[in-house]
Amino acid sequence: VLPKPGVVLFQLQNDTFGDRYHHLMKEVYQTEGSRESFLQTLNAERMGRIYDRKPDNNERAVHDATPFNLSVKASSFGQLQAVMRLLYELPPLEGVQLVIRGGEVGGITDYDVLGLMGKQQPGGVLVFGDIQNANRLDLPEFIEVYACKVVYHGVDWVKEKLVSLMPKIYNERVVAEARVKQTFRASQAGKGNAAGLEVTNGTLVATEHFRVMRSTGKKGDAETVKVYEGAAKELRRFKETVKSVEEGLECGLIMNDDFVFRTGDIVQQVVRDVIERDVDEEIRKALEQERIDRARREADEAVANA
């Protein structure tokens, strides 16, 4: 067999060494070929060319989304390949963006730490397998390290982190209510005014969240709308600043932002309880929305090509 240009020739002692070298290089070529194929696959996934996704599904330039920067470390190339594929299969979630900064075989290095620290954003390092880390720099508080030996445990951790960064869902409860009996000018109110209130339900607390509701339209077709929401500037009783006013008592109230009260307004105090999101349910809804978007896009393309 004639050697091709550029081929390096080795002279070995005997056939035994030749067989060993042959099998060694065969494994190397298979690994490198698999690695190159995998890197091409990852690049295609990033560009949205796999799973019929939009080009911006995996790396979306969403300015109003909270990014989660992730670095993936694995003890072998096969483990890295398995983790990365599952991560790129995750659907896009509302208000959050998964940004994979890198995936490598080996432990955490100072380069990984610096790459995540520079963004000053929430992030983490997913470590898969038995690895000896080599970083000398300490990770900041906003970067979390999660080590696992089961690939799905690591992916579940990433899901939990992404869902935790989604916009908060609140359940609002009205815990106190007061009626505006009269309005008057006050220097502390700026361009706004002060309201004389009668607490009709609960206890008004000066430091809590306030909401002002107003009846609009004619008497037979009235509608109550929210005209202000925010913090109070002052809560007074008999010209003294107080921390709270109980039901049945009267008080004076000044809001921020030069707000103007009207007689008859209803002042409510609202407590907002955070509703915990279910991770599996959020992922399921995101996958379903992705399926709907894909079907709609295919239908639009079919109409355009008809």
Side-chain angles (χ1 to χ4, degrees):
V1 178
L2 295 176
K4 296 181 180 180
V7 171
V8 179
L9 299 178
F10 291 91
Q11 183 177 3
L12 303 175
Q13 293 181 355
N14 51 47
D15 292 341
T16 302
F17 282 102
D19 290 339
R20 290 179 181 177
Y21 182 77
H22 168 73
H23 290 295
L24 172 63
M25 295 308 297
K26 184 177 180 181
E27 292 181 0
V28 169
Y29 287 135
Q30 287 177 346
T31 301
E32 289 301 319
S34 177
R35 184 190 302 273
E36 180 63 26
S37 175
F38 174 62
L39 293 176
Q40 292 177 1
T41 301
L42 287 187
N43 183 61
E45 287 173 334
R46 292 190 183 102
M47 298 301 294
R49 296 171 186 159
I50 291 183
Y51 313 120
D52 295 326
R53 292 187 167 188
K54 292 181 180 179
D56 61 348
N57 263 11
N58 292 318
E59 291 190 356
R60 297 169 296 159
V62 183
H63 299 291
D64 59 348
T66 301
F68 181 74
N69 299 293
L70 181 67
S71 180
V72 182
K73 314 295 288 188
S75 58
S76 69
F77 177 71
Q79 291 176 334
L80 177 64
Q81 185 176 9
V83 174
M84 296 292 279
R85 176 168 288 278
L86 289 174
L87 290 176
Y88 278 114
E89 288 178 350
L90 293 178
L93 297 172
E94 175 192 359
V96 61
Q97 177 184 8
L98 174 61
V99 182
I100 300 179
R101 294 296 174 186
E104 294 179 338
V105 174
I108 302 174
T109 64
D110 288 340
Y111 177 80
D112 299 318
V113 177
L114 291 173
L116 294 172
M117 287 176 59
K119 300 297 179 180
Q120 294 294 313
Q121 296 168 339
V125 183
L126 176 59
V127 180
F128 182 34
D130 294 322
I131 305 176
Q132 186 68 33
N133 295 326
N135 62 302
R136 291 175 294 178
L137 298 175
D138 293 330
L139 286 165
E141 294 182 355
F142 55 85
I143 301 298
E144 184 177 344
V145 177
Y146 183 83
C148 64
K149 294 184 179 180
V150 179
V151 61
Y152 291 103
H153 292 172
V155 176
D156 288 342
W157 172 76
V158 175
K159 291 179 182 179
E160 292 174 1
K161 288 299 176 182
L162 294 176
V163 171
S164 69
L165 293 174
M166 293 179 67
K168 302 297 183 184
I169 302 176
Y170 297 98
N171 178 37
E172 294 187 345
R173 294 183 294 113
V174 177
V175 295
E177 202 167 61
R179 181 173 59 87
V180 178
K181 299 180 65 175
Q182 60 178 334
T183 62
F184 49 90
R185 296 186 61 83
S187 59
Q188 299 91 334
K191 296 181 180 180
N193 61 5
L197 308 177
E198 179 185 0
V199 181
T200 58
N201 180 38
T203 300
L204 289 182
V205 180
T207 56
E208 295 295 338
H209 195 77
F210 284 83
R211 184 167 63 189
V212 181
M213 308 298 292
R214 180 171 296 165
S215 179
T216 61
K218 297 181 180 180
K219 188 174 182 180
D221 191 24
E223 181 183 2
T224 302
V225 297
K226 179 175 65 177
V227 293
Y228 182 85
E229 187 168 7
K233 192 172 186 179
E234 285 188 6
L235 181 65
R236 289 177 173 267
R237 180 165 167 77
F238 298 123
K239 298 184 180 181
E240 296 292 332
T241 301
V242 294
K243 295 181 179 180
S244 62
V245 180
E246 297 179 353
E247 181 179 342
L249 301 179
E250 295 184 349
C251 60
L253 179 66
I254 298 175
M255 307 301 288
N256 289 312
D257 307 317
D258 297 330
F259 179 73
V260 178
F261 286 99
R262 291 183 185 177
T263 302
D265 285 349
I266 301 298
V267 177
Q268 296 177 338
Q269 194 144 74
V270 180
V271 173
R272 305 173 73 190
D273 300 320
V274 178
I275 300 176
E276 294 293 333
R277 293 179 182 267
D278 183 85
V279 176
D280 293 335
E281 179 64 17
E282 293 298 334
I283 296 296
R284 186 197 64 79
K285 291 192 296 185
L287 287 171
E288 178 64 18
Q289 185 61 48
E290 189 178 46
R291 185 191 65 80
I292 294 173
D293 293 342
R294 186 186 305 122
R296 184 183 297 115
R297 185 170 65 254
E298 291 175 352
D300 293 341
E301 292 176 354
V303 172
N305 296 329

